[in-house]
Amino acid sequence: MAIRKKATKAKAKVSIKSKAASKKVVKLKSKKPAAKAKASNGMPKPSSKPFGKDGKALDGVRILDFTHVQSGPTCTQLLAWFGADVIKVERPGVGDITRGQLVDVKGADSLYFTMLNHNKRSITIDSKHPQGKRVLDELIKKCDVLVENFAPGALDRMGLTWEHIHKLNPRMVVASVKGFGPGPYEDCKVYENVAQCAGGSASTTGFRDGPPLVTGAQIGDSGTGLHLALGIVAALYQRNRTGRGQKVLAAMQDGVLNLARVKLRDQQRLKAGPLTEYSQYGEGIPFGDSVPRAGNDSGGGQPGWILKCKGWETDPNAYIYFITQAPVWGAICDLIGEPTWKTDEGYATPKARLPKLKAIFGRIEQWTMTKTKFEVMNLCNAVDIPVGPILSMKEIAEEPSLRKTGTVVEVDHPVRGKYLTVGNPIKMSDSISEVKRSPLLGEHTDEILSKVLGFEKNEVAKIKASGALSAPEKKEKAA
Ligand code: COA
């Protein structure tokens, strides 16, 4: 990988120098990196360093990050947490549009931007300027992966076609998020909720008698970013064998559909008869020819519903998700004070309960309304009944256990001060994620030009003077 090659070259240079100085015959060091010690089974020898002390999973991988808004940045942020060196290319003067969206602290990058761009470096380049193109070509040669989520065709219009990239660097993986895959909608621009609607999520979310609903979880943007990250890591793994990069595409419609997979399952089950686990069945309402909205029914075979808890009259989140899982039916009956339901023929089996689920949940709710959601959680979990308290974002932000695991992290930013973010949700024992603040616009431009690309000082000055790295007003002055 780029970093390792550079180190080898440097070693060779040192050897040549010392030869000239001493005029003695000095054996040149091999340009080939020393073969890693192998264990007897042919595998690399395990590290002798303690777990978590031997770098990160993607150390040595360099990413040319052309992403913006949410889907692409989610992907590259994950790769950065795994140790990749992520170089975010931004339009001079403006940067990623989210820097200035939903601003809460005047003059500071928005939380929208900071929470999606940790652990990255930022360089500003006008990708349509001849000198900007030159810098980009050099970056392509030095990076392992290019990630982008521009509108369809935008990368080609910059001159960065697959052929151009592959010619410069045949090992480069070129990864894209698009709204749709090849087909009638491939040229469309797409945002989160468009994808939720086109991927089958909205039509199956909400209540039967209401309109389709989008969800709060960003399954179109962040969900697709996650899919893309997996594609990139798999492509890098394959490259170890083939020596060749490849294109990776994650379409948002496909990503959402993948997450709504159980609903396509239900679509096909409809041919075999009504979906008995949907409360609609128990209420005697006929099914149409496509999967209906299921309200708060559980997506699995165990009936579930959201029930009120103590304080629901004033607290919009005093609710709990309650699952009447068959193996713990007896425990539920005891807990709510209906022990006869354990043996009563009308209640004892899941089949017998199906037509009266609404009434059963009504009875359970009478009990949950006498307790807080946390009391219900404790009482139920003590006897293995799965329940889910509806946690507000305030409660999540203040939850000590999430702080302890690094899932919720406090970060300091030079302009906005301290803020909370979500850390890496994927924990690895030998690759520990640290959350570092997002970069200011163009903060690392100089260091990338000199240290990554090896441009001399006068060359950097020349590129800067061309206006390829600065906002339009500065360009005018430079002209
Ligand atoms: N220098 C010069 N030009 C730059 C640049 C840079 N550093 N970075 C971007 N641009 C240009 C692009 O080349 C493009 O110009 P063109 O239209 O002349 O080719 C222009 O900026 C706009 O880029 P685009 O991606 O079209 O942004 P947009 O704001 O019009 O659309 C999206 C935004 C998100 C709708 C669109 O990018 C998209 O559909 N992306 C794929 C799906 C996706 O990821 N959606 C979810 C986003 S969270």
Side-chain angles (χ1 to χ4, degrees):
M1 270 159 220
I3 291 171
R4 215 175 287 147
K5 267 191 192 160
K6 207 175 167 188
T8 318
K9 270 191 188 160
K11 268 188 196 168
K13 262 191 198 165
V14 169
S15 305
I16 293 166
K17 250 190 180 175
S18 56
K19 183 184 168 187
S22 65
K23 292 203 174 168
K24 278 182 195 161
V25 180
V26 179
K27 209 176 162 197
L28 279 177
K29 278 192 183 158
S30 162
K31 282 196 176 181
K32 266 191 184 171
K36 275 209 163 178
K38 298 249 170 98
S40 56
N41 62 1
M43 300 296 284
K45 265 197 172 165
S47 172
S48 55
K49 292 186 185 163
F51 277 86
K53 301 272 180 213
D54 200 359
K56 296 195 179 9
L58 294 182
D59 273 352
V61 173
R62 190 174 279 146
I63 313 276
L64 178 52
D65 179 9
F66 244 134
T67 68
H68 64 153
V69 203
Q70 185 182 169
S71 62
T74 298
C75 166
T76 51
Q77 178 168 260
L78 274 168
L79 300 174
W81 280 332
F82 290 134
D85 176 16
V86 175
I87 297 175
K88 184 167 172 111
V89 177
E90 296 184 80
R91 199 204 279 255
V94 200
D96 186 325
I97 191 139
T98 59
R99 283 188 186 267
Q101 284 182 337
L102 311 177
V103 169
D104 59 323
V105 177
K106 216 174 158 207
D109 288 328
S110 70
L111 286 167
Y112 195 178
F113 177 84
T114 54
M115 290 178 73
L116 286 161
N117 289 284
H118 293 106
N119 297 53
K120 304 180 187 178
R121 299 200 270 176
S122 166
I123 179 170
T124 50
I125 305 175
D126 179 347
S127 62
K128 291 174 179 159
H129 189 289
Q131 285 296 322
K133 283 176 189 286
R134 183 183 153 220
V135 175
L136 279 171
D137 281 356
E138 291 308 310
L139 276 168
I140 288 169
K141 290 182 203 160
K142 295 274 187 218
C143 291
D144 300 284
V145 187
L146 184 155
V147 192
E148 63 94 21
N149 68 310
F150 290 125
L155 198 67
D156 286 359
R157 287 195 290 278
M158 287 178 186
L160 298 177
T161 59
W162 161 253
E163 291 72 25
H164 177 80
I165 296 166
H166 205 225
K167 204 169 151 198
L168 288 175
N169 181 357
R171 289 173 60 78
M172 178 161 259
V173 172
V174 180
S176 305
V177 168
K178 294 289 165 260
F180 292 91
Y185 306 119
E186 63 186 308
D187 291 330
C188 298
K189 289 187 176 184
V190 169
Y191 287 101
E192 172 67 48
N193 289 344
V194 177
Q196 287 199 24
C197 294
S201 174
S203 69
T204 52
T205 303
F207 289 91
R208 206 168 45 238
D209 47 3
L213 280 186
V214 293
T215 72
Q218 305 286 281
I219 57 176
D221 280 340
S222 285
T224 308
L226 271 163
H227 283 93
L228 190 71
L230 180 58
I232 289 169
V233 175
L236 286 172
Y237 190 76
Q238 187 173 4
R239 192 181 74 170
N240 287 339
R241 203 175 67 243
T242 62
R244 212 171 44 214
Q246 61 183 299
K247 287 195 250 183
V248 180
L249 169 68
M252 293 167 75
Q253 181 185 39
D254 301 8
V256 170
L257 178 58
N258 186 33
L259 299 175
R261 172 176 294 262
V262 295
K263 298 296 178 181
L264 186 58
R265 172 200 69 192
D266 292 350
Q267 181 61 40
Q268 297 169 86
R269 288 174 58 228
L270 269 177
K271 282 189 207 136
L275 306 171
T276 54
E277 77 282 15
Y278 282 52
S279 47
Q280 165 171 354
Y281 171 74
E283 289 164 39
I285 299 166
F287 284 77
D289 62 0
S290 62
V291 176
R293 291 186 265 292
N296 286 320
D297 289 334
S298 118
Q302 310 291 345
W305 201 254
I306 288 186
L307 307 178
K308 291 170 184 160
C309 293
K310 198 177 191 173
W312 66 274
E313 299 90 338
T314 50
D315 177 355
N317 295 305
Y319 287 84
I320 197 147
Y321 197 92
F322 201 102
I323 302 168
T324 56
Q325 203 188 9
V328 288
W329 175 245
I332 295 170
C333 297
D334 288 338
L335 209 56
I336 65 170
E338 296 288 353
T340 57
W341 282 5
K342 288 191 279 187
T343 47
D344 184 330
E345 270 183 17
Y347 292 90
T349 62
K351 201 170 170 205
R353 291 194 289 273
L354 273 181
K356 25 180 135 49
L357 278 178
K358 204 170 177 184
I360 291 172
F361 280 121
R363 174 65 190 94
I364 299 172
E365 191 171 58
Q366 281 176 6
W367 177 77
T368 57
M369 280 164 68
T370 64
K371 319 234 164 330
T372 68
K373 61 190 174 190
F374 296 111
E375 286 167 346
V376 176
M377 172 95 176
N378 289 339
L379 289 166
C380 286
N381 275 297
V383 286
D384 278 344
I385 303 168
V387 287
I390 309 302
L391 295 185
S392 68
M393 274 298 157
K394 182 173 184 291
E395 286 164 332
I396 287 172
E398 292 166 357
E399 171 57 42
S401 64
L402 292 176
R403 299 287 183 104
K404 216 168 162 190
T405 57
T407 296
V408 175
V409 188
E410 190 177 79
V411 184
D412 206 359
H413 187 277
V415 186
R416 70 161 33 256
K418 288 191 165 63
Y419 66 96
L420 284 188
T421 195
V422 185
N424 191 350
I426 303 164
K427 320 289 186 209
M428 290 167 70
S429 61
D430 212 6
S431 180
I432 311 297
S433 296
E434 302 137 305
V435 180
K436 295 186 192 145
R437 72 164 172 86
S438 59
L440 304 176
L441 179 60
E443 183 177 346
H444 305 96
T445 299
D446 283 24
E447 94 182 25
I448 290 163
L449 290 174
S450 58
K451 298 212 173 106
V452 176
L453 301 181
F455 285 130
E456 300 293 343
K457 253 188 178 170
N458 59 345
E459 196 58 36
V460 171
K462 225 166 95 184
I463 297 166
K464 280 188 169 173
S466 76
L469 313 180
S470 45
E473 60 275 15
K474 286 187 189 155
K475 272 183 209 169
E476 275 159 31
K477 273 183 207 160

